[in-house]
Amino acid sequence: MTARVGVVTFPGSLDDGDAARAVRIAGAEPVRLWHGDAELHGVDAVVLPGGFSYGDYLRCGAIARFAPVMDRIVDAARGGLPVLGICNGFQILCEAHLLPGALTRNQHLHFRNRDQILRVESVGTAWTNAFQAGQEILIPVKNGEGCYVADTATLDELEGEGRVVARYVGGNPNGSQRDIAAITNPAGNVVGIMPHPEHAVEALTGPSLDGLGFFTSVLKHLVGAPA
């Protein structure tokens, strides 16, 4: 049976279409989820895409966190549902307290858009098991509020528990503490990443095919998950 991966659309979402396309290329069925619909329609995993949900008013992701669909996603994630938050989706996961820390204004105060090398640090998550530990990948980054921050105790905990999923290599594009580009929750089913793997799944439009591994990973995870 083909896995069904939900892709949420919020007002102001920008990359929901690309995320759905990445899901399809990986071999799953994308299911479009609307922010105002409190049902997940039986999906096996969820992607919170990039963009500017609710215009980034108050704080990035601060309003989206209260969308009806998020109540269900938070409950399901705590029960083991794989959830990937990309860029604005990462911000929403932090606002929803599914991930620690926060994403703040880039230290240099400029929007940064470029192809970025990442080093995959953790391959034990639902979204990174297709990679090798230490593997370097190339995917685009595009953000104005992508600087990951947390208190020292939280950063040390993430490091100590192996929950830093990826780091920036060859230059930190936004000033994120400890070069952190992606993190996971203790269970490994929830991952937030600031760069955009969904923009690196086709040779025609991406700098590489490296982003596809995030989407094939979750399919591999679902096959091995208990029924």
Side-chain angles (χ1 to χ4, degrees):
M1 182 178 295
T2 302
R4 304 174 75 245
V5 179
V7 178
V8 180
T9 298
F10 299 97
S13 289
L14 177 65
D15 297 310
D16 46 337
D18 286 4
R21 183 172 179 80
V23 167
R24 184 178 297 109
I25 291 171
E29 176 189 351
V31 178
R32 305 304 289 264
L33 301 176
W34 184 240
H35 69 106
D37 185 354
E39 295 300 321
L40 297 184
H41 303 285
V43 298
D44 303 301
V46 167
V47 176
L48 302 179
F52 307 91
S53 60
Y54 296 91
D56 282 349
Y57 290 111
L58 299 183
R59 283 187 315 278
C60 299
I63 299 177
R65 176 259 179 273
F66 293 102
V69 72
M70 284 304 301
D71 288 337
R72 295 299 301 275
I73 289 173
V74 169
D75 287 344
R78 288 173 176 160
L81 181 78
V83 179
L84 176 67
I86 304 171
C87 196
N88 187 222
F90 188 1
Q91 295 162 342
I92 295 168
L93 290 176
C94 290
E95 290 287 343
H97 305 297
L98 286 174
L99 293 175
L103 286 306
T104 62
R105 188 77 181 272
N106 292 350
Q107 280 192 346
H108 44 66
L109 305 182
H110 296 286
F111 189 92
R112 187 63 78 234
N113 183 3
R114 72 186 193 196
D115 296 333
Q116 176 69 46
I117 298 174
L118 306 179
R119 183 173 61 248
V120 179
E121 301 278 1
S122 173
V123 296
T125 81
W127 299 92
T128 56
N129 59 67
F131 299 104
Q132 299 294 319
Q135 182 177 345
E136 293 189 359
I137 62 176
L138 180 67
I139 63 176
V141 63
K142 52 175 190 176
N143 61 73
E145 291 83 18
C147 179
Y148 181 77
V149 298
D151 59 73
T152 300
T154 297
L155 292 170
D156 289 345
E157 181 179 272
L158 290 172
E159 299 268 16
E161 296 180 358
R163 290 167 54 199
V164 175
V165 172
R167 297 184 203 270
Y168 298 111
V169 174
N172 186 327
N174 45 43
S176 289
Q177 293 178 314
R178 304 191 188 182
D179 296 328
I180 289 174
I183 62 172
T184 186
N185 67 336
N189 64 302
V190 178
V191 169
I193 181 168
M194 183 50 55
H196 288 262
E198 79 281 17
H199 295 331
V201 298
E202 292 182 291
L204 178 65
T205 57
S208 72
L209 303 181
D210 293 343
L212 192 59
F214 289 88
F215 301 94
T216 58
S217 287
V218 76
L219 303 188
K220 180 180 176 182
H221 170 81
L222 290 171
V223 168

